[in-house]
Amino acid sequence: MARSPKRPDIEIIYFAGAKISLFHPGRPPAKPVQEMHGLLATWPHLYLTDELGEQLHRSPLDACHDHDIPCRSTQAAFTLNLEEELSTGFREEHSAQVWRVSTSSLKKPLVARFYDPLYYNTFVRNRFAAIEREVGIYDEAYKRFQPLVGSHVPTLHGIFAAELSVNFLKPRHIYCVLSDYVPGIDLQCLLDKHDLKRNNTCAAHKAAFVDSIARLAHDFFARAVIPMDMLPKNLIIDIPAAPSTSEDFCDVEGCPWRRKIHIDLDFPSTQPEHPYALQAKMIDLGLVRFMKRFPAMEDIKYCRQWVLAQWNVPWVGPETRDLLGRWVSQANARENITQA
């Protein structure tokens, strides 16, 4: 059957109600290779051969068929039902097509990341090598994050090959990372200038959000991993139900979290066993750097500075920074975390 050089519209493949079959890949993703510079590591350049570059320009669909992922068998593991398109962080239109999905075999909402080279950002030179590396990062990160799975990162259900068939062409296969859907409040809503909750949030609660993310970064660093995409769209705050609608957790009238999120104005992070302590999860691990080993840290002051520098958060004013300075203490560090 002749192959078409045309690239179909993305809405033909990914839309609410679409069904996509998942297969077990015939080989695991390649281990991500880094160039080490002391304790830190950088990714090497993804070179593009002249032949591949010409084929991507002339017929990207043919190139995708030629780089098809082999499957272990012809029998599908299960079928996904696409329900709602989700955010992809600051790399939007760069890597994965991210969808909330459901399947009859697992009775809970899931998140599927489809790494389709046909719609990968064209600024990335070798999109096939970039996808292989990004999926390999997920695989390697979860090996290091086993004690954090479920509490700090969503549960990973596996890396699969998704089968796509459009316009009666022969099917092609792409990588799909399947994980749990994480409920909670997207931290992005606290930074959106058009969101009233962001404007009315008191300084103590703002500092508590930063503190929970800093502790998350500390737990990552302790396992020799630097998350390079720790931006609000990739972070979820898990907020337990308040014990009483009459109990106030801050003294600022009009703060939307006054009766919803517990904070201790003296040491909000020193009691992680508190039933109403904030807990943050990172939902996208596609962009991290691995280290040989990270030096032991006595507290998480560095993590707070690093998080704030990544965010360039406009709402962290002097009052909030004073609170963060009060909260820096050795007790904030997770003593039970061992270095990787």
Side-chain angles (χ1 to χ4, degrees):
M1 181 182 295
R3 293 180 294 177
S4 171
K6 297 180 180 179
R7 188 178 83 156
D9 294 335
I10 192 171
E11 293 81 6
I12 295 178
I13 301 177
Y14 307 100
F15 57 90
K19 297 182 182 299
I20 296 180
S21 297
L22 297 187
F23 296 77
H24 293 292
R27 54 177 172 77
K31 184 178 178 63
V33 178
Q34 293 181 301
E35 298 172 348
M36 300 303 301
H37 299 282
L39 289 171
L40 304 182
T42 59
W43 296 114
H45 182 69
L46 298 174
Y47 293 101
L48 179 69
T49 63
D50 293 338
E51 294 80 8
L52 179 56
E54 182 180 352
Q55 187 182 33
L56 284 171
H57 177 73
R58 183 184 69 254
S59 177
L61 187 55
D62 283 359
C64 291
H65 278 292
D66 291 343
H67 288 79
D68 199 39
I69 299 173
C71 297
R72 196 181 305 168
S73 69
T74 58
Q75 185 176 3
F78 45 83
T79 300
L80 298 180
N81 302 309
L82 274 58
E83 296 183 348
E84 179 187 4
E85 189 173 11
L86 303 176
S87 167
T88 59
F90 88 124
R91 288 171 292 114
E92 197 163 358
E93 298 181 357
H94 181 156
S95 56
Q97 309 298 324
V98 186
W99 283 79
R100 180 170 55 84
V101 301
S102 63
T103 177
S104 58
S105 58
L106 293 174
K107 304 296 183 179
K108 58 181 177 180
L110 304 171
V111 171
R113 289 177 170 81
F114 299 101
Y115 291 89
D116 193 338
L118 194 59
Y119 306 101
Y120 206 83
N121 193 326
T122 55
F123 289 104
V124 178
R125 295 180 61 81
N126 190 339
R127 63 186 70 177
F128 302 103
I131 289 175
E132 187 80 17
R133 183 173 71 185
E134 191 160 348
V135 176
I137 286 175
Y138 258 95
D139 189 44
E140 177 66 21
Y142 268 92
K143 290 177 181 177
R144 301 191 183 204
F145 286 162
Q146 282 306 307
L148 307 180
V149 173
S151 59
H152 296 63
V153 294
T155 301
L156 180 70
H157 292 281
I159 298 174
F160 299 90
E163 184 176 271
L164 305 177
S165 181
V166 179
N167 295 347
F168 304 101
L169 298 172
K170 73 174 185 178
R172 62 188 180 92
H173 300 85
I174 64 172
Y175 280 115
C176 174
V177 176
L178 191 64
S179 59
D180 274 350
Y181 177 79
V182 179
I185 293 182
D186 186 339
L187 197 63
Q188 180 66 21
C189 76
L190 302 174
L191 303 180
D192 188 349
K193 64 181 180 180
H194 301 296
D195 195 310
L196 294 178
K197 290 182 179 180
R198 175 239 179 177
N199 295 326
N200 296 331
T201 301
C202 70
H205 272 103
K206 290 175 182 177
F209 294 136
V210 176
D211 186 75
S212 64
I213 302 304
R215 286 185 286 118
L216 178 65
H218 174 271
D219 290 342
F220 283 9
F221 289 162
R223 285 171 172 80
V225 177
I226 300 179
M228 302 305 296
D229 196 1
M230 193 170 252
L231 294 176
K233 283 188 178 181
N234 292 331
L235 298 168
I236 299 292
I237 300 293
D238 182 16
I239 301 175
S244 171
T245 57
S246 62
E247 183 176 354
D248 291 339
F249 298 142
C250 73
D251 55 1
V252 178
E253 188 69 34
C255 177
W257 318 113
R258 183 175 184 181
R259 297 179 180 179
K260 295 181 180 180
I261 302 179
H262 181 279
I263 55 173
D264 185 324
L265 294 180
D266 292 324
F267 297 100
S269 304
T270 56
Q271 299 177 357
E273 71 283 358
H274 194 288
Y276 307 109
L278 290 184
Q279 180 70 63
K281 290 185 182 180
M282 187 170 178
I283 58 176
D284 189 351
L285 302 175
L287 186 60
V288 303
R289 290 179 181 174
F290 303 111
M291 299 173 284
K292 289 182 178 179
R293 195 172 195 82
F294 200 84
M297 292 183 292
E298 295 181 355
D299 56 43
I300 59 172
K301 182 177 181 180
Y302 171 82
C303 295
R304 288 196 181 90
Q305 295 171 344
W306 182 82
V307 168
L308 291 174
Q310 263 212 333
W311 287 2
N312 189 24
V313 182
W315 48 249
V316 180
E319 182 182 3
T320 305
R321 292 186 183 277
D322 289 344
L323 281 171
L324 285 173
R326 290 171 53 201
W327 294 355
V328 173
S329 69
Q330 187 170 356
N332 280 333
R334 300 279 183 93
E335 296 181 357
N336 61 335
I337 298 298
T338 59
Q339 290 189 350

